[in-house]
Structure formats: structure tokens, C-alpha cells
Amino acid sequence: MKLTLLTACSGLALLTSPAAAQDSAEPADADTIVVTASRTAQNGLDAPTPTQVIGDEVLDRQGSETIMEVLNQNPAFKATRSPNANATNLSSPGQATADLRGLGGQRTLVLVNGSRVVPFAPAANQSVPTTTDLNLIPTIMIDRIDVVTGGASALYGSDAVSGVVNLIMKTKYDGIDARVQTGISEQGDDRRFRVGFLAGTGFAGGRGNALLSVDYSDVEGVGSFYTRDWGRRGQLIVTNRNGPTNLLLAENVVNSLGAGGVIVTGPAALVGQTFNPDGSLRRFNYGSPIDGRVMVGGEGISVNAQTTTVPGVERLTAYGSVYFDFSDRLTAYVEGGWSKAQGDIQSAVLRLDRQAIRGDNAFLPAAVRALVAPTGSINISRIGFDIGNNQFRITNETPHATIGVKGKLGGSWSWDAHASYGENYYRQRASKVLITSNLNFAIDAVDQGRFLTGTPNGAIVCRAVAQNNPAAAGCQPLNLFGEGNTSAAARDYIWGEPASDVDYTQLTVAANIVGDLFDLPAGPVRVAVGGEYRRETEDLTADPIAAANGYLGAGNAVPWSGDFNVKEAYLEGTVPLFTGFSANGAVRYADYSTAGGQVAWKGGAVWSPLEGLNLRVSRSRDIRAPALNELFSPGSVLTNPLTLIVDGVSKTNNIPQNATAGNVNVRPELADTWTAGIAYRGTGGLRGLGLSLDWYRIEINDAISNPTSAQIAALCNGGDQAFCSAFTYGPDPANPGQRIHTAFLSGTINLGSFLQEGIDATLQYDTAAAFLGSGGRYAMSASGTYVLHSVVDTGTLGSVPIDHVGAMNPYTLGAIPTFRGDLTQTFSADHWEVSLQTMFISAGVQDVTFNVPGGQTINDNRVPATWYFNLNGKFWAGADKRYELFWAINNLLDQDPRATPYFVLNAPVNGQYYDKIGRRYTAGVRVRL
């Protein structure tokens, strides 16, 4: 294969500049690499849309288990869904998605060898998009990764709104490439192990080549954030009702519920009393201020003290291909594989805010019983550290296969066709998840004799059992008064094991033809035309309790099924108007069985006024059709606390929330994208220098979204009554005569618009460095993204568009750092290589709506700038570098994450940007035979 400069330069650093990546003036032939940003461009200079390239040596250099780890270092990506950010993602704790521009993984199209990949669709779609899970990609098989940083729906169809990630797999290999590596954090956790091999051989006199790869990795993850010094600080944002600011970023924020239970309403002498393990009473040590379930200071630990900080992920991928040349004009191939990823997370414990306890409860200590009539009641709060945390295990399995042919038709014309089929099997299995009805039955315990005859007999049973309620069969009474007093039998009764399965299928048939239509004075007019048929189905099943929304907190999934098909055709052309200047355009028509006819298009131009210099501009209209869950899902219910202003009073209540229901009337979202830039590849004395500067502007209208309950609550709190109707209301048991919110239900809607505008810049330099010894070289690659605007307009009555650039919090749509940069410097010689990677995140604020007129005030809205350093290296031995020892130190200076709390879920830091693991070490051995 002829390796043009497209890949030759990409190996110099983590991110190849578009200048170098697209800097080849060689004519195309059958072996020239296809440019992902265009089907008609004969070389990178003809493509008007910027493309970045990551070579396989970058994955090898960093010892990365998955491509996600490398992609998310790219300033253009946001680690929205990654293990480091998934501490609250019960639907898929190990999930890793590609999210260009932070606009959501569902708006970045992931391809393998130019073809779509069957997506990952979790049972509970709470803020979890239907998109490709990068864990399932065989890392060891990757030859390079093309990243198109602009809209590409006209070329590849729906979802390519913010760009395309095209994973190019190896198709030829002779020999064996095997590796094994291990790693650990400085804290002794996050243990990692990986082993894999790639084997290939030619046959039939070199006309065919067969490849097989197997790649296994197991990453332990990190348990409680109390294992880290930054976690033990207990930083969180709380409501500060009596302070000089509305909000308070404070340390030592702990739960206010009480590990032994706290009486919150009842006789005045009992309110504020907590239960010791022996059942006796004492005054609960409250902190101040108190904000719902949390408080600053006082007794206790964080609400999430026992939850997983970074989920563990185990993955296994097997991938193979066979390519065979029947002639120099016809090649047939078969490729496919099987992948499995498993994510594990320990989640929440029982949290009760105002649990009603009747006065005849058999477990009530005598001191309480003396002050509460048998027909009376008290309300208690309680956190169940002694009852146990929810445990979730998600398995994601994907078999897939593609069969295709490609060839030449004569002259410049070539063609290709393929059919692919893939299935994604999602399995959620959980344990220690509370069954709402069982919990209610178990809490309501009575003395059987007193209840039935009026004479106590010491036999404590569930009231419903004494009443012969068949729904309470097997009920075991639960003693909530004092930590450690629950029985094993009661815990077994209230715990359930949610189970939900999703089977997702994708069938694709596509064909393309490309060639020169006719010649103009400046060159040939080149066109590409093609068509595609795609059918996708989704089928969700669940256990009876989950199907009835019977679990408390999480684990519910209501069964449903749906499907759609789409027929698409496209045309692209590149026209050389004069020497050094060409125009490019494309149009695609897609007929969806659900969304109807949709048109995507793009136009652009490239001008090369000087050797090595090119100017480019592009404009596109891109679409994203609604996913199946966004159309047909009945949604799933989570029971969590939520703060809402009800009748002018801010109240927190633990309520069932369904923010994931679908809507068959939701429309496709439309995006308008502009890009313009300049790229330069040095020649002569500047050879080895590459730089680029590209401006982009993406505006998405009629955005498809499932706003979270917190987002809807914020809109309601802001005065938009249309969103207040998503809540149901009832009497407030703690405040007679007042109302409180009791449930939340919302579905998919086309809500407002997003606009992001920014600048991507790259600089690359590669030169010989004799002072390093034989074969010495120095390579440098710098890249950065400066975001000018990240505007969200909710589209609601009276709403004002808000520019969220510079916001570092994990809960606001559109929040993104102003600048992120990456610099990799590599020093190498014949037998060794060392690279230092520097990553920078600019300073910002917690939220741009804090401390501004009309917004909430906070004591400290600043988030400092952050630097991360990674150091890695290699040593080679043997002929042709057959033996390799590689090592890496990530987060070299052990930089702590910045305090950027997700106060809705009581998480202390934003793992989308900040490393929660700390310094960690990797070492491995690679052998090529």
C-alpha cells in the first residue's frame, strides 16, 4: 500500500495538524488512502473540511487500553461518557463515547472503515445517548483514526452533526504482534491488565491476506472518593438560605439524614433526636447550613461516601478479516468480530427524608413510645449505610460482520459495495436494589399479639402479614432505629435484583462509485454517487418488578420495541475551477420511515495560492434523526431527591422521576455548520513544519433532547410555568396546608437550539536531532481549541440565550472550558523513545449564571486553571525492533481534580475534564515475530 503523507505525518504526535494530515499532492490510485472528509478528493488538499489523524503508534505509545483514552485528550472532544465521568451512570458505568465539541455523543458519527457501527442502547436512557461504545472497538487492529471536525451528514448521513470519527482497521499484516501490560495507581487501586495479539498472513501468492486479533483488558477502577485526599475534603455546593449568598461552595459537606435515624417531625421533645445502636436517644449533631439531605459540618459522612468513583471495566474483543484480490480490478473481503464489555459500579444506599413511622411500630424504643400515641406517628430521616449499596453490572456484547467487494471500472472509475449486520446485546443485572413495596411493608412492623388481640406476645411481624395481605407474603420486619439493627432476613426481603435486556440490530447495504466525469483546463471534474439502505430495531425486556417501576432509586425499565428504516442516496463533486482552486459540494436525500424525507448538503472550496499553503471554507446543513428510544420508549423511573420551588417555597422531596419517555412526534434536528481555515506545510528550510488554524460555527435548531428533572426544575423555578406542569403535586406531610412535588414525567422534545463557535489550532514540527545519538529525532505537536461561544437557548417563553463557555460544571448543557490545549514532545533514537505530554485546561467558573444580575450568588465561583503531564517511553531490542519494553506515568505530578461539584447528585468533581485517579503507572512488553 502506498502510504501518503496523510499517515506518515500522523505518527509524529498525538494530534496531527490538518495541514500535515491533508498535505499530499500525489494523484490517487487504487492504493491511496481514502480521505474521510471527502469521497471525491484525490488528496487531502482537495477536502475543504478539516481532518485530524491519529496513527496507531500513538495508541501504542501511551499503552492505551481503549481509543477513548486518546480521543478524549484531543481538545476538540469532551469525555462526556467515560469511566472517569461515569460515577453516577448506572445505565452504563463503563461506557465510552466520542463526543466532538461537547454537543453529545449522539451527534458524533463513529464509523469503522467508512461503515456504520451498531450502536449501544441502554435500557434506561437517562442522559445516556444511543451511540457507539468505544470499548467494543478492537484497539489492536486500528491502523489510524480520522477525525473530521465539521458536519458531514451529506457524505455519511444522520448523526454527523459535530463530525465523524472514522476508525480505519488494518487490512494486511504478515507475522505476529503480541503484547502484555499492567498498571496501578499510586494509591494501590485502579489495577490494570491487558493482553492481546494481532496475527496475519498472506496466501495464494500474495493475492489474499487473513488477519485475526484478540484484545483483553481488565481495569479495576476506584472505590470511594474517601480514598483520595481531595475526596475527604467533602466539597459540595449547598443552598445557603441564611447566608450572604444563595449558594455555598463548602468543605465537610455530609449527610443530614443520620446513620441511626433522626426524628424530623413529631412531639417537640423528640424532634432532632437520633437513635444510638442500642436504641437509646441522643441529640443529633446538625451542621449548618442544612440543605435537604446534606449539611455543612455536623456528624456523619458524605451521602455518596461508599459509591464508586471510577467504575471498573472488563473488555474482550476479537476481530478478523480476509481480503482477496481476484484480479487487479476486483477485491472481495469479509470482516467482523465479537466484542464484550462489562462495567461494574457500586451506587447509592437507602435514603429516607420523612419516612412515616406509626406509633404502634414494634421497634420503637420505649422513650419514643411514651410520647407517641399508638394511633399517632413520627417522621424520621435515615441513611442506610448498614443496609448496603446498590450494585450494578452492565454487559454490552456486539457480534458484527461485513461482506464487501470493490474494484475498478476502467480509467479513473472505481466502485465498492458492502452489506453489514450487527447486534448489540445490553444486559443490566443489579443486586441490593430496594423494592419499594417490600420496603414499605417491612418498615411497618407491629407486635403480632398487640395488633391482633391487644396483648403483646413479643412476635414482631409486618403489619401487612398480620392483615393477611397476600402481596406481603414473606415479609420480614425492618428495624430502622439505630445503626446496625437491621436483620439479614429483612435485608434479603427488601432487596431485589433488577434485570433488563436490550437487543439492538442494524442491517446496512451500501454502494458507491467514484471517478472523473470530464476534464476542465485545471483538471478533471470528479464525482461520487452512492446509496444506502439501513434498518434498525430495538427490543427491551425486563423483569416484572422493573417493568412496573417497582424499584426504589434505579433499575426500572419498561419493556418496549420499535424499528425504523431509511433509504438514502448522495452525490458529491469536486470541480477544479482554476489551477490551485477547487470547489466541492455534496447533497444527500434520506427517506426515513419515521421522520420522512430529509435533505443534507454541503459546499466548500480550497485554494492553494502557494506551495504548501491552502485556504479552505465549507458550509453544510446536517441532520440528526431521532433515535428509536427518543421515539418509542415509555421511559424509566428513578426515585431521587429533587429541589423545586412550590408556591414560593423551595422544597426537596424524594420523588419518582421519568425524564426518558419517547415521543413519536419529535422531529429531526437541523444543524448549520461553517468552517474556514488556513493550513501550511513547510518546504525547503521549513520542511517538517506544519500548522493550521480553523474557525468553526455549529448551530443546532430543534434540538432533540430529554431534559433532566433538574433542568426542568430549573426552568420551572425560573418562572416558566409550562415546565412546572411536568410535576405532579400533593399535600406536604411536613407542612400541613402546603403542597409539595410528588412525581415528575417528561418526554423527548425539540427544545431550543445550541450554538458553538470556536477556533482549532495545531502546530507540528519534526526534525533530525543528532545530539540524541544515532537516528535521533525531535518531534513536537501542539493542538488547542479556543471556544468563543457555547450558547444554549431553551426556546421557552421568556427565556434568554445563555453563553456557557467557561463553565466547568458537569450539569449544564453547553458548559465547556474556554481553552484546552495539548502539547506532545517526543525525543527518540534508534533504540529508545521518550515523550512528554502536557495538557492544559483554562480557568473558568462553576456556572456562568452565578454572581450575575438576576442569577444565584455563590461565595466562590472560580475554578483555577489546571495542568496535567504524562510521561511515556519505549526501549527496543533485536532485529527490526522485534522486542519492545514500554512504560507510562500518567498524571506525573499527581494533580488533584478541581472542585466542580455536581450538587444534584452530590458528586464532588467533574470527571469529564479532571482526572480522579491521580498518578498511575503502566509497563508492558511487546513482541513482533
Side-chain angles (χ1 to χ4, degrees), residues 258-259 306 349-351 382-389:
Q306 297 177 175
V349 296
L350 171 67
R351 304 168 187 178
R382 175 74 145 82
I383 191 162
F385 290 123
D386 56 336
I387 294 175
N389 295 68

Side-chain angles (χ1 to χ4, degrees), residues 472-681:
C475 179
Q476 298 293 318
L478 184 70
N479 183 358
L480 293 177
F481 309 108
E483 188 173 21
N485 289 327
T486 61
S487 67
R491 293 194 297 272
D492 288 342
Y493 172 71
I494 64 176
W495 284 338
E497 297 183 348
S500 56
D501 300 341
V502 178
D503 290 345
Y504 199 105
T505 70
Q506 182 184 83
L507 170 68
T508 303
V509 179
N512 306 280
I513 183 171
V514 59
D516 298 340
L517 196 62
F518 57 84
D519 289 336
L520 292 177
V525 174
R526 192 167 179 83
V527 297
V529 62
E532 179 177 315
Y533 170 83
R534 181 161 43 94
R535 184 175 188 269
E536 300 187 14
T537 70
E538 185 171 357
D539 182 42
L540 186 153
T541 57
D543 71 90
I545 297 175
N549 287 319
Y551 292 107
L552 179 67
N556 297 311
V558 180
W560 65 277
S561 62
D563 65 83
F564 77 84
N565 65 75
V566 58
K567 308 173 188 70
E568 304 180 76
Y570 78 91
L571 172 67
E572 183 190 10
T574 297
V575 181
L577 299 178
F578 54 84
T579 301
F581 184 90
S582 63
N584 175 273
V587 63
R588 174 180 288 256
Y589 178 79
D591 182 14
Y592 285 86
S593 61
T594 52
Q598 304 294 325
V599 176
W601 54 265
K602 79 163 189 174
V606 178
W607 180 35
S608 301
L610 301 171
E611 182 182 3
L613 176 68
N614 68 301
L615 310 176
R616 55 193 173 214
V617 63
S618 70
R619 167 77 164 85
S620 67
R621 163 62 60 89
D622 302 288
I623 68 165
R624 185 177 80 84
L628 286 170
N629 68 286
E630 293 170 327
L631 292 165
F632 303 116
S633 173
S636 58
V637 175
L638 296 174
T639 301
N640 277 320
L642 186 70
T643 300
L644 185 71
I645 297 175
V646 182
D647 300 330
V649 180
S650 179
K651 297 186 176 184
T652 300
N653 197 17
N654 196 41
I655 64 172
Q657 304 170 31
N658 184 349
T660 58
N663 177 6
V664 294
N665 296 315
V666 71
R667 305 181 308 275
E669 61 187 26
L670 305 176
D672 294 308
T673 300
W674 280 97
T675 66
I678 180 172
Y680 175 72
R681 176 179 65 90

Side-chain angles (χ1 to χ4, degrees), residues 638-808:
L638 296 174
T639 301
N640 277 320
L642 186 70
T643 300
L644 185 71
I645 297 175
V646 182
D647 300 330
V649 180
S650 179
K651 297 186 176 184
T652 300
N653 197 17
N654 196 41
I655 64 172
Q657 304 170 31
N658 184 349
T660 58
N663 177 6
V664 294
N665 296 315
V666 71
R667 305 181 308 275
E669 61 187 26
L670 305 176
D672 294 308
T673 300
W674 280 97
T675 66
I678 180 172
Y680 175 72
R681 176 179 65 90
T683 59
L686 296 178
R687 186 174 182 83
L689 174 67
L691 57 87
S692 71
L693 192 68
D694 286 281
W695 166 81
Y696 69 90
R697 184 181 189 275
I698 304 172
E699 182 175 5
I700 303 172
N701 294 298
D702 291 331
I704 301 171
S705 60
N706 281 83
T708 66
S709 56
Q711 291 168 338
I712 296 294
L715 292 168
C716 175
N717 291 341
D720 196 322
Q721 293 301 310
F723 288 98
C724 295
S725 63
F727 297 90
T728 57
Y729 304 87
D732 186 348
N735 298 283
Q738 296 184 16
R739 297 192 308 158
I740 195 169
H741 48 300
T742 56
F744 169 81
L745 172 62
S746 180
T748 305
I749 53 178
N750 294 99
L751 182 64
S753 64
F754 311 146
L755 182 149
Q756 192 178 119
E757 182 181 6
I759 298 172
D760 292 328
T762 65
L763 173 65
Q764 176 179 298
Y765 184 65
D766 177 30
T767 185
F771 68 92
L772 295 174
S774 176
R777 297 200 70 81
Y778 168 76
M780 179 271 288
S781 180
S783 62
T785 295
Y786 187 91
V787 182
L788 300 169
H789 300 288
S790 182
V791 180
V792 177
D793 183 354
T794 64
T796 59
L797 183 64
S799 65
V800 176
I802 299 176
D803 192 343
H804 292 282
V805 66
M808 315 302 285

Side-chain angles (χ1 to χ4, degrees), residues 67-74 77-79 82 97 820:
I67 62 174
M68 174 249 344
E69 298 174 56
V70 170
L71 285 181
N72 286 339
Q73 294 170 0
N74 182 332
F77 284 86
K78 182 178 181 178
S82 64
T97 63
R820 288 177 63 208

